[in-house]
Every structure is written in C-alpha cells, then in structure tokens.
Amino acid sequence: MGVPPRFEPVRPVRAYERIVEQIEDRVYRGLLAPGERLPSEREMMAQFAVSRSTVREALRVLESGGLVQSRPGDPRGPEIMPFSPAALRKSVTRMVQVDEVGLGELVQFRMLLESSANLLAARMASAEELDAMDEALAAMTAAIDRGYEEFSRADVAFHDTVARASRNTLIEVCSDVVRGVVLGLISHKIAHSPDQRELMEQSMRHHAEVLDAVRSRDGARASRLARETLYAYYAGYVSEAERPMLRALLEE
Amino acid sequence: MGVPPRFEPVRPVRAYERIVEQIEDRVYRGLLAPGERLPSEREMMAQFAVSRSTVREALRVLESGGLVQSRPGDPRGPEIMPFSPAALRKSVTRMVQVDEVGLGELVQFRMLLESSANLLAARMASAEELDAMDEALAAMTAAIDRGYEEFSRADVAFHDTVARASRNTLIEVCSDVVRGVVLGLISHKIAHSPDQRELMEQSMRHHAEVLDAVRSRDGARASRLARETLYAYYAGYVSEAERPMLRALLEE
DNA sequence: TGTAATTTGTTCGTATGTATA
DNA sequence: CTATACATACGAACAAATTAC
C-alpha cells in the first residue's frame, strides 16, 4: 500500500549456472531419474551451445552437490545419483569447523532429535521394525567383546532403525548427520578411554531400556530416556559453560 | 578380532578436488577469514601448478558451497564469504523436490524444532531478546492492515528472534530453513485464502500467547503452544494420511 | 583376450567485457 | 580518461581411462 515497489539487485548470471539450473530442474521434475545418464560433455557442449569448459564447470558444481557423478572414459556419460545426505553432512561439518556451532549445541540438537525419534517410534513402529531393533541390540551385545569399532557400528544401526521407525525422513537424515559429526569430534576420545568396556555395557543397558519403552508404546518414557542417555554419555565432553543448556532439556 | 581387515574402494582424486581441500582447510583453520581474498586465478594457477580451467573448476565448487565469491574484473581476487545457511537450504529443498519428504514430514519437523526453540527461549531469553520479541509482535499487529506479504515478514522476524534466544545455532538455522521450504510450498495458498485477515489475527493472538509463556519462563507451555499453533495452521494443508503423524506430537 | 573407439581429465592459447587505480 | 589486471568464455589439443566389439 504505502510501500513503494522496489527493484531487486541483480547478480550477473554465468553460463554454467544456467546449465546447472536446467539439469537440476529436470531432475526435480522426475524427467531425469537416478541411474539415468546425462549426454557426454561434447554432446552437452553442442546442445547448450557453450564451450566444454563451461559444461565442465556446471558438472563440477552438480557433482559437488551429489546430484551427478562422472567418471573418466565412461561413454555412457555422467550418472544421475540418488539422494544422499552427504551434502547435508558437509554443510553441518562446515558450520562446526568455522566455529559457528560447538559440541554442546550439537549434542543438544541430537538430544531433541532422538527424543522425538523415540517418541514417534514408540507410536509408529511396526512388528518388523521392533524385530530389527531386537537384532540390532543383540548385535551390540555381541560386539562388546569385539572392540569399540564394531560396537559403534552396531550402535549406529540401532539408532538408524529407531529413526526409520519414526516415519520421518528429515528426522532420520538429520539424526544420521548430527550423530556422524558428533562422533567425528570425539570418537577418538572414546576409543582411547580406559573404562571403554564399562561404557559399552552401560550403553547397551540404556539401549535395552529404550527398546523396552518403545515396545511398550510408552512414548514419553522413550523420549525421556533418549535425553537422559545422551546427557549421561556426552556431558563429560561438553564444556561446563554449555552443560546447563543440555540440562534444560532434561527438566521438562 | 575375527573380522578380516578390508580395503576401501578408491575413487580417483582429481586435481581440482585437491585445490578445494587446501582452500577449505585454510578457511577451517582460520588462516583465511571472511572478507579476506584469495589470489587471482592466474596467481593460483602458478601456486598450484595447474591450468586455469582446473583452478576455475575448484572456484566454482567453492562458490556453489557458499565459501567464496568471485566477481569479474575484481583485481583483489575471490572473496572469502561468511557462513550462510544457503547450502543447507539447498540440500533440504532438494530432498523435498525429489519427493524424499512431503509436507507432513516438514511440518512435523518444524513442530519439534519450534517446540524446542520455545522451550529453550523461555529459559534463556535475555531482557533485550524479550524486548525484540515485543517489537516483532507489534510489527505483526501493525502489518495486519498492510497485507499478507508484510505480515509474513514480521512473522518470520518473530520466529527468528525466538530461535536466536534458544542459543542454539543449529536450531536457529534449521528452523529458518524448514520454515522457508514450508512457506515456499504453500504461501501462495495462504496469500489467496478468503479468510486471510482472520488467519492473520488468529496468528497474532497465538504469537502473543507464546510471548507471554516465554516471558513467564513457562517453557512447557511455550513448547506446547508451538506444537498446537503449528498444527492449527498447517494441518489443513497436510494430507489426511499424514495428519495422525502430526497429532502424535500433540498428545504428549 | 586384445584392440579400437569414445570419453573424461587436463593443459594451453586467445578474445572480450569489466572493475580498480 | 587511460592503463592495467581481472574474470568470463571459447576452442584446440594430448594423455589416461573405460567400454564395447
């Protein structure tokens, strides 16, 4: 009404960006599905009417986003890739690297993600998914004697199963990403911990409790257990200044 | 123990990737801060001992990740950029575009994010932040007469203030991203809604309630209000099949 | 199995428009 | 206003890798 219509600042659009847009658009519309192939660089050079360097810049950008993958000498052309959380993981990793976020915030975020995942899993999990959790828990138990590496893999599998049972892909993917970043920051500390075996046994008991709550369809308890367990595990690695932030999620 | 050590599959590392790694590494170590400049393409071509095209491919990848920005004719060279959630937003947008996640999951995720943001804001918000929320709410009230565009901007400002008060950058950024994607999917429906004015007034009342709960340091209430408000707003746009997923977050 | 054809990875040289000093 | 240095974009060429016959 009283607001004068204003123009937007323009940034020169480079040739390779137009190519990226066109290809992204086709993928989004489903006209180009994972597994299918893009034309060869020389073919695209002709279709887009640009030089090969320009085509290659576009391909490098698409590749860094995980949308395509090109391999030398492959006459079938660059491959359209299925979705992968790799790009998301890189973004979060960068936030951590440039000190935009610290370990405390990561753990806090993981607490709220897993808390929600457990709540939803308790409500939604199918019999098959409960069985899968059983298996994952058994794998954890068996892995205690085989070292932290193996135990960590089984632990990840358990959390993955629960997250998938939440029936929310965003929760699933974000949990995976944040868990990966947290482990990347402190897994070496755990791996060299003197009371490593006790940590694993304690973890196993906590996971058994979670599974029990999920199976009993007790979402509130499963949710609370997630927060408590994560706090018990990671609070020691978080600076004292950030610890009250984590406790805020416990006293609900 | 019994596990035979296995080799990892190798992917040929291309020249431009090594360049990207070196530059990313310097930025992560703080040796290259936002605002600083990279050498010119010709200079890098000499330092990395590669061709111009290779340097350019690396720069395009870094640019698509939001890490640097180069402009034609600028003799100071490509600029190191501060962190921006643009890359994160793009990843999430892609997940939505390829139908990996639907509106229901997005809204559910937003419910748990804002629920947590409100909970933490009630505990952590400073007097200045409470004042900022007051201002944002006043702006919303004033914007009701100026149309949905303006109201939406004020609404976003309010949520941003609350998210920032949570003192968790991940929550802040993810809320911003998911909110943007959701609005991108349905803002045109709201903009053409016949009972638009009533929606805005209702929204304003809900936000006033949230602010009251935050100011009273009543985290549980602020948290519950976030979930209820979002459900009341967006459930109508979500398919009936997905709606029970949202309700699961209400009955806690 | 080996060979030929095709493709990508990379380099080099050049022309053009643009921003800074 | 001019000179300089820059980024954008083009095109040709060679080596290495992959597929297919």
PDB file of all heavy atoms in Angstrom, chain B residues 9 28 40 68 93 116 118 169 182 203 239 252:
ATOM      1  N   PRO B   9      37.263 -49.034  -1.309  1.00  0.00           N
ATOM      2  CA  PRO B   9      37.311 -48.741  -2.748  1.00  0.00           C
ATOM      3  C   PRO B   9      37.868 -47.341  -2.980  1.00  0.00           C
ATOM      4  O   PRO B   9      37.572 -46.420  -2.220  1.00  0.00           O
ATOM      5  CB  PRO B   9      35.836 -48.820  -3.178  1.00  0.00           C
ATOM      6  CG  PRO B   9      35.070 -48.573  -1.927  1.00  0.00           C
ATOM      7  CD  PRO B   9      35.905 -49.126  -0.800  1.00  0.00           C
ATOM      8  N   TYR B  28      38.954 -23.411   7.416  1.00  0.00           N
ATOM      9  CA  TYR B  28      38.593 -24.060   8.672  1.00  0.00           C
ATOM     10  C   TYR B  28      39.589 -23.728   9.769  1.00  0.00           C
ATOM     11  O   TYR B  28      39.237 -23.599  10.930  1.00  0.00           O
ATOM     12  CB  TYR B  28      38.538 -25.576   8.488  1.00  0.00           C
ATOM     13  CG  TYR B  28      37.414 -26.033   7.586  1.00  0.00           C
ATOM     14  CD1 TYR B  28      37.403 -27.316   7.050  1.00  0.00           C
ATOM     15  CD2 TYR B  28      36.357 -25.179   7.268  1.00  0.00           C
ATOM     16  CE1 TYR B  28      36.372 -27.735   6.228  1.00  0.00           C
ATOM     17  CE2 TYR B  28      35.341 -25.588   6.442  1.00  0.00           C
ATOM     18  CZ  TYR B  28      35.350 -26.861   5.925  1.00  0.00           C
ATOM     19  OH  TYR B  28      34.341 -27.276   5.118  1.00  0.00           O
ATOM     20  N   SER B  40      44.506 -14.174  -7.293  1.00  0.00           N
ATOM     21  CA  SER B  40      43.788 -14.194  -8.563  1.00  0.00           C
ATOM     22  C   SER B  40      43.932 -15.572  -9.222  1.00  0.00           C
ATOM     23  O   SER B  40      44.791 -16.365  -8.847  1.00  0.00           O
ATOM     24  CB  SER B  40      44.348 -13.125  -9.492  1.00  0.00           C
ATOM     25  OG  SER B  40      45.584 -13.544 -10.033  1.00  0.00           O
ATOM     26  N   VAL B  68      33.279 -19.070  -1.133  1.00  0.00           N
ATOM     27  CA  VAL B  68      33.936 -17.914  -1.747  1.00  0.00           C
ATOM     28  C   VAL B  68      32.998 -17.289  -2.763  1.00  0.00           C
ATOM     29  O   VAL B  68      31.969 -17.861  -3.111  1.00  0.00           O
ATOM     30  CB  VAL B  68      35.255 -18.297  -2.448  1.00  0.00           C
ATOM     31  CG1 VAL B  68      36.117 -19.153  -1.561  1.00  0.00           C
ATOM     32  CG2 VAL B  68      34.979 -18.994  -3.759  1.00  0.00           C
ATOM     33  N   THR B  93      15.836 -28.334   0.334  1.00  0.00           N
ATOM     34  CA  THR B  93      14.947 -28.105  -0.807  1.00  0.00           C
ATOM     35  C   THR B  93      15.025 -29.268  -1.777  1.00  0.00           C
ATOM     36  O   THR B  93      14.014 -29.731  -2.309  1.00  0.00           O
ATOM     37  CB  THR B  93      15.331 -26.803  -1.528  1.00  0.00           C
ATOM     38  OG1 THR B  93      15.278 -25.725  -0.599  1.00  0.00           O
ATOM     39  CG2 THR B  93      14.379 -26.522  -2.678  1.00  0.00           C
ATOM     40  N   SER B 116      11.083 -27.022  20.638  1.00  0.00           N
ATOM     41  CA  SER B 116      12.326 -26.967  21.401  1.00  0.00           C
ATOM     42  C   SER B 116      12.845 -25.539  21.505  1.00  0.00           C
ATOM     43  O   SER B 116      13.340 -25.121  22.562  1.00  0.00           O
ATOM     44  CB  SER B 116      13.377 -27.849  20.732  1.00  0.00           C
ATOM     45  OG  SER B 116      12.880 -29.144  20.514  1.00  0.00           O
ATOM     46  N   ASN B 118      11.129 -22.808  21.577  1.00  0.00           N
ATOM     47  CA  ASN B 118      10.349 -22.084  22.577  1.00  0.00           C
ATOM     48  C   ASN B 118      10.723 -22.510  23.989  1.00  0.00           C
ATOM     49  O   ASN B 118      10.842 -21.677  24.892  1.00  0.00           O
ATOM     50  CB  ASN B 118       8.859 -22.329  22.343  1.00  0.00           C
ATOM     51  CG  ASN B 118       8.342 -21.569  21.147  1.00  0.00           C
ATOM     52  OD1 ASN B 118       9.113 -21.009  20.374  1.00  0.00           O
ATOM     53  ND2 ASN B 118       7.023 -21.546  20.974  1.00  0.00           N
ATOM     54  N   THR B 169      22.596 -22.429  17.564  1.00  0.00           N
ATOM     55  CA  THR B 169      22.658 -22.016  16.158  1.00  0.00           C
ATOM     56  C   THR B 169      22.026 -23.043  15.228  1.00  0.00           C
ATOM     57  O   THR B 169      21.410 -22.687  14.222  1.00  0.00           O
ATOM     58  CB  THR B 169      24.123 -21.784  15.751  1.00  0.00           C
ATOM     59  OG1 THR B 169      24.749 -20.993  16.741  1.00  0.00           O
ATOM     60  CG2 THR B 169      24.205 -21.090  14.414  1.00  0.00           C
ATOM     61  N   VAL B 182       8.706 -24.771   3.825  1.00  0.00           N
ATOM     62  CA  VAL B 182       7.262 -24.929   4.013  1.00  0.00           C
ATOM     63  C   VAL B 182       6.511 -23.762   3.386  1.00  0.00           C
ATOM     64  O   VAL B 182       5.536 -23.956   2.643  1.00  0.00           O
ATOM     65  CB  VAL B 182       6.912 -25.033   5.519  1.00  0.00           C
ATOM     66  CG1 VAL B 182       5.413 -24.918   5.718  1.00  0.00           C
ATOM     67  CG2 VAL B 182       7.420 -26.338   6.091  1.00  0.00           C
ATOM     68  N   SER B 203      -3.303 -15.760  14.133  1.00  0.00           N
ATOM     69  CA  SER B 203      -1.866 -15.982  14.282  1.00  0.00           C
ATOM     70  C   SER B 203      -1.279 -15.014  15.295  1.00  0.00           C
ATOM     71  O   SER B 203      -0.482 -15.396  16.159  1.00  0.00           O
ATOM     72  CB  SER B 203      -1.187 -15.805  12.919  1.00  0.00           C
ATOM     73  OG  SER B 203       0.209 -15.785  13.068  1.00  0.00           O
ATOM     74  N   SER B 239      -2.002 -33.803   3.912  1.00  0.00           N
ATOM     75  CA  SER B 239      -2.911 -34.887   3.543  1.00  0.00           C
ATOM     76  C   SER B 239      -3.423 -35.607   4.790  1.00  0.00           C
ATOM     77  O   SER B 239      -2.738 -35.679   5.810  1.00  0.00           O
ATOM     78  CB  SER B 239      -2.189 -35.882   2.635  1.00  0.00           C
ATOM     79  OG  SER B 239      -1.245 -36.623   3.386  1.00  0.00           O
ATOM     80  N   GLU B 252       1.327 -35.316  24.065  1.00  0.00           N
ATOM     81  CA  GLU B 252       2.390 -35.725  24.975  1.00  0.00           C
ATOM     82  C   GLU B 252       2.042 -35.392  26.416  1.00  0.00           C
ATOM     83  O   GLU B 252       1.538 -34.327  26.683  1.00  0.00           O
ATOM     84  CB  GLU B 252       3.706 -35.056  24.600  1.00  0.00           C
ATOM     85  CG  GLU B 252       4.896 -35.701  25.254  1.00  0.00           C
ATOM     86  CD  GLU B 252       6.169 -34.967  24.894  1.00  0.00           C
ATOM     87  OE1 GLU B 252       6.127 -34.123  23.997  1.00  0.00           O
ATOM     88  OE2 GLU B 252       7.190 -35.250  25.516  1.00  0.00           O
TER      89      GLU B 252
END
